[in-house]
Amino acid sequence: MLRAIYPGSFDPITYGHINLIQRASKVVDELYVAILNNVNKKYFFSCEERIKLTKDALKIFDNIHVESYSGLLVDYAKKNGINVIIRGLRAVSDFEYELQLANANRSLNKDIEILFLMTDTEYSFISSSIVKEVAKYGGNISQWVPKNVEEAIFKKIGNNNV
Ligand code: PNS
């Protein structure tokens, strides 16, 4: 059975993530969507909120598990007996960061393999940061995030006009 981890901050999940998750879930038997909870980082949504938003957005997929982790990704992988990590590449600009991340993880654990999927072009510019920024200025984000995420963002911002 092939199991893989799709890690990230998911602050919050977007259709770009979902595009990757949907496709990755077809090539592996079990996909673990792993949400990083870095206690030193200030997130827009709490860890519990990010888990709930992600779970609610992924209800339709049945071979996907949503969990949080803290500490090193390679330790989370080892603890769960998984040695495949999936990451997305939206554009060339992602490559340098992803190369650094992949090399760091492989340097920490040579059993880990990192596989990359190219985000479909219509989602290639979407990031959680852009979604939050546009929402803060009252822009339309409905084409970039699921309804539950859109509502949660505007609720947090204090603008319930969705
Ligand atoms: O969505 P992101 O923020 O680009 O995801 C980055 C993430 C969470 C995959 C990465 O920062 C991570 O796994 N951090 C955990 C700490 C770790 O393992 N660091 C060593 C590799 S850089």
Side-chain angles (χ1 to χ4, degrees):
M1 177 184 283
L2 179 56
R3 299 195 300 157
I5 298 170
Y6 178 57
S9 302
F10 301 99
D11 190 28
I13 190 164
T14 69
Y15 281 139
H17 296 122
I18 293 172
N19 174 246
L20 257 285
I21 291 167
Q22 195 165 11
R23 289 164 51 209
S25 73
K26 288 184 191 153
V27 293
V28 302
D29 297 301
E30 302 269 338
L31 186 69
Y32 286 74
V33 176
I35 302 179
L36 177 65
N37 187 25
N38 177 348
V39 287
N40 297 315
K41 198 173 155 187
K42 179 109 184 65
Y43 295 98
F44 185 72
F45 288 108
S46 70
C47 186
E48 294 69 30
E49 288 171 328
R50 286 179 287 140
I51 290 174
K52 178 153 180 24
L53 290 172
T54 304
K55 277 189 174 164
D56 289 348
L58 297 174
K59 265 186 190 145
I60 43 169
F61 306 108
D62 55 11
N63 63 338
I64 295 169
H65 310 273
V66 179
E67 293 185 348
S68 67
Y69 70 104
S70 52
L72 291 177
L73 177 57
V74 290
D75 290 341
Y76 169 77
K78 194 170 183 180
K79 199 180 82 194
N80 288 282
I82 302 175
N83 61 0
V84 176
I85 292 169
I86 294 181
R87 290 283 289 174
L89 287 174
R90 290 166 298 189
V92 176
S93 51
D94 282 342
F95 181 77
E96 214 163 319
Y97 172 62
E98 291 301 331
L99 181 66
Q100 193 180 25
L101 212 70
N103 284 335
N105 283 323
R106 292 255 316 143
S107 171
L108 289 166
N109 182 350
K110 274 282 177 285
D111 293 331
I112 293 281
E113 291 296 348
I114 298 100
L115 306 182
F116 292 93
L117 290 179
M118 308 301 156
T119 308
D120 280 336
T121 45
E122 62 261 47
Y123 307 107
S124 63
F125 63 94
I126 304 174
S127 70
S128 302
S129 311
I130 284 188
V131 168
K132 286 176 285 191
E133 172 147 351
V134 169
K136 274 177 196 158
Y137 292 108
N140 178 15
I141 56 167
S142 63
Q143 69 280 30
W144 301 333
V145 291
K147 190 77 185 162
N148 67 317
V149 174
E150 182 189 7
E151 284 173 357
I153 291 175
F154 281 118
K155 190 171 174 202
K156 193 156 278 258
I157 290 169
N159 173 359
N160 285 307
N161 65 348
V162 280

